[in-house]
Amino acid sequence: MELDFLTPINPEIIQFISKLNTQHLGSKVSFHTDKEFPNIDKIKIAIVGVIESRGDSKQYDEVNLDHIRKELYGLYPGNWQTSIADLGDILPGNSIEDTFYALQKVVAKLMKNKIIPIVIGGSQDLTYPLYRAYDNLEQMVNLVSIDNKFDFGKQEEKISSNSYLSKIILNEPNNLFNYTNIGYQTYLNSQEEIDLIEKLFFDSYRLGEISNSIELAEPVFRDADFVSIDLNSIKSADSGNFSNFTPNGFDGKEICTLARYAGISDKVSLIGLFNQYNTKQESALIAQIIWYFIEGINYRSNEYPFGSKESYSKYIVPLETEELLFYKSDKTDRWWIEIPFFLGENNKLKKNTLLPCSYDEYLGACNNELPERWWKAQRKNLI
């Protein structure tokens, strides 16, 4: 019933794919066409387009995903075993709220069936209905946004691509456990917004921090459920988006690396790419971002929260006021730090007893430096 909101892909895409050889990705994907709908019981990844941009006043043209699909399906896949389907598009409703409703229902259905949706298209306020898709999954949500802005707005302001985060924080039911921004640019955000991020014990990383050491982002994605990418976080020289000129931002290699980190994460169950401007150059880059995310999924190691602590080496680091417990995976050499307790009666909070971290954070702890993300997670427990 929920999947009835989806419309078939453009027949031109099928014609384009028919001219490719059998080694291209297009020949290995199931498609929603006028004649058939993919069997969702047999797929792991679902691509969903959303033709909705009313939440962004700067997107003057109607969203068109045909160029992205052609670029994506013209690529060659890696040594992938994961089944993929393109389920078509959600068309704009009579109101933007209608589109939100359809998107929430479609994505909730897919995630309930253990399918990872890749949502493409439209303005970034679509992050809100995607977040709401977790409402019935009985879990708290860690949201990671790759964005040059925090996208707060005034409480009374209508939801838009620049104000959706306020709605996520304020509206009930409140399933948000943590929000992390990767790539914000200080001069695009007010000091009040930067202070609010700190006050809420959220995490944020400036563009320069990540560009100088992109490995900082890997533990963040390892703890994420939902990743939202604002394509305005990519500099225009690499994205080809000169309608909304962005002189500084991630380059093509960096954004693809972040997408791969998101794919490798055993926890990420949803990704969305928003605010595209229909340029050929940008379409090629979006296709490669999606390619790297799928590549990452195919190399997931099924560690925490799905694995057992028995396959980890345990390290105890005594500090002046705390005793920190670190775990290193014998399988991938990745690190976690234990959050020793969670207060309250909410069972949803008791799952996340290990927080992903880096080897550098372990070394810092050995030098009596308390990891900042550990401290913030602890503060959330006491609120």
Side-chain angles (χ1 to χ4, degrees):
M1 188 79 175
E2 295 90 344
L3 302 183
D4 290 342
F5 290 114
L6 292 160
T7 60
I9 66 169
N10 189 335
E12 289 184 8
I13 303 297
I14 301 300
Q15 294 176 7
F16 169 81
I17 292 168
S18 68
K19 298 176 183 178
L20 301 176
N21 67 49
T22 56
Q23 298 301 311
H24 284 103
L25 179 59
S27 65
K28 304 178 186 302
V29 175
S30 301
F31 293 95
H32 178 193
T33 67
D34 293 329
K35 298 179 180 178
E36 62 180 335
F37 192 92
N39 183 349
I40 64 170
D41 294 329
K42 296 183 178 181
I43 61 174
K44 177 66 176 178
I45 299 170
I47 294 171
V48 176
V50 188
I51 314 300
E52 176 64 81
S53 62
R54 283 174 284 186
D56 185 358
S57 60
K58 294 180 180 178
Q59 281 193 307
Y60 302 108
D61 300 325
E62 181 180 296
V63 177
N64 187 328
L65 306 178
D66 288 352
H67 293 310
I68 298 173
R69 284 186 163 107
K70 287 179 180 179
E71 292 288 348
L72 176 62
Y73 299 134
L75 299 175
Y76 291 97
N79 186 23
W80 299 346
Q81 305 301 319
T82 305
S83 52
I84 307 169
D86 188 329
L87 301 184
D89 298 328
I90 295 174
L91 300 179
N94 292 328
S95 68
I96 195 168
E97 289 76 18
D98 292 335
T99 310
F100 283 5
Y101 177 83
L103 179 58
Q104 178 181 338
K105 291 297 182 181
V106 167
V107 170
K109 172 70 173 178
L110 294 174
M111 291 196 295
K112 190 175 181 180
N113 283 269
K114 309 297 182 185
I115 298 169
I116 301 171
I118 300 174
V119 178
I120 318 168
S123 44
Q124 202 180 11
D125 52 304
L126 296 173
T127 298
Y128 180 73
L130 292 176
Y131 161 74
R132 290 266 75 104
Y134 287 91
D135 284 354
N136 296 323
L137 297 182
E138 298 184 353
Q139 70 172 80
M140 298 300 283
V141 180
N142 289 338
L143 168 62
V144 173
S145 177
I146 302 175
D147 201 335
N148 56 15
K149 299 178 182 178
F150 293 124
D151 295 325
F152 286 117
K154 296 179 181 179
Q155 186 171 355
E156 66 277 7
E157 185 180 345
K158 187 177 180 181
I159 190 169
S160 72
S161 61
N162 294 317
S163 67
Y164 69 88
L165 184 57
S166 298
K167 308 301 180 185
I168 288 176
I169 294 171
L170 296 173
N171 290 2
E172 296 289 341
N174 193 337
N175 302 323
L176 184 67
F177 182 66
N178 192 42
Y179 165 80
T180 303
N181 174 285
I182 293 178
Y184 82 95
Q185 298 175 36
T186 307
Y187 42 77
L188 298 179
N189 298 274
S190 69
Q191 190 58 49
E192 182 182 11
E193 291 174 312
I194 296 172
D195 292 342
L196 182 58
I197 290 289
E198 289 296 317
K199 184 178 179 180
L200 294 170
F201 303 110
F202 290 155
D203 299 306
S204 59
Y205 297 84
R206 292 177 62 178
L207 171 65
E209 289 181 87
I210 301 299
S211 293
N212 289 335
S213 181
I214 201 164
E215 298 83 5
L216 286 172
E218 189 277 326
V220 174
F221 288 109
R222 217 185 320 150
D223 199 40
D225 298 291
F226 170 24
V227 177
S228 174
I229 300 177
D230 184 341
L231 294 162
N232 288 315
S233 64
I234 306 167
K235 61 183 178 182
S236 292
D238 282 38
S239 70
N241 172 16
F242 295 99
S243 305
N244 187 28
F245 185 70
T246 307
N248 288 304
F250 292 117
D251 62 29
K253 180 181 178 181
E254 290 167 341
I255 195 68
C256 287
T257 299
L258 296 175
R260 194 174 191 276
Y261 283 157
I264 287 175
S265 168
D266 294 309
K267 203 163 178 273
V268 170
S269 54
L270 170 64
I271 191 171
L273 299 93
F274 307 106
N275 293 343
Q276 81 281 5
Y277 287 81
N278 299 334
T279 69
K280 183 171 178 57
Q281 183 175 336
E282 187 180 53
S283 296
L285 181 55
I286 293 171
Q288 292 184 20
I289 293 170
I290 295 169
W291 189 98
Y292 274 100
F293 179 70
I294 298 173
E295 170 89 345
I297 290 174
N298 279 271
Y299 285 96
R300 288 187 173 185
S301 54
N302 294 317
E303 293 182 313
Y304 183 83
F306 308 105
S308 166
K309 285 186 181 179
E310 295 177 0
S311 59
Y312 297 77
S313 298
K314 183 178 179 180
Y315 296 81
I316 302 174
V317 181
L319 302 182
E320 292 181 0
T321 58
E322 300 283 348
E323 183 177 83
L324 301 184
L325 300 180
F326 286 86
Y327 293 87
K328 178 186 176 184
S329 168
D330 298 333
K331 186 177 182 180
T332 63
D333 290 338
R334 296 191 294 186
W335 289 78
W336 283 260
I337 185 171
E338 185 169 274
I339 304 296
F341 60 88
F342 280 81
L343 297 178
E345 298 298 322
N346 192 338
N347 288 330
K348 292 187 285 187
L349 291 178
K350 294 181 181 179
K351 293 181 180 178
N352 299 327
T353 57
L354 293 182
L355 182 71
C357 67
S358 66
Y359 176 59
D360 285 343
E361 286 174 304
Y362 165 72
L363 293 179
C366 292
N367 290 319
N368 207 36
E369 297 174 8
L370 195 65
E372 184 176 357
R373 292 182 68 237
W374 181 91
W375 180 82
K376 287 183 177 180
Q378 282 289 77
R379 293 298 301 169
K380 287 192 183 77
N381 292 331
L382 299 174
I383 293 175

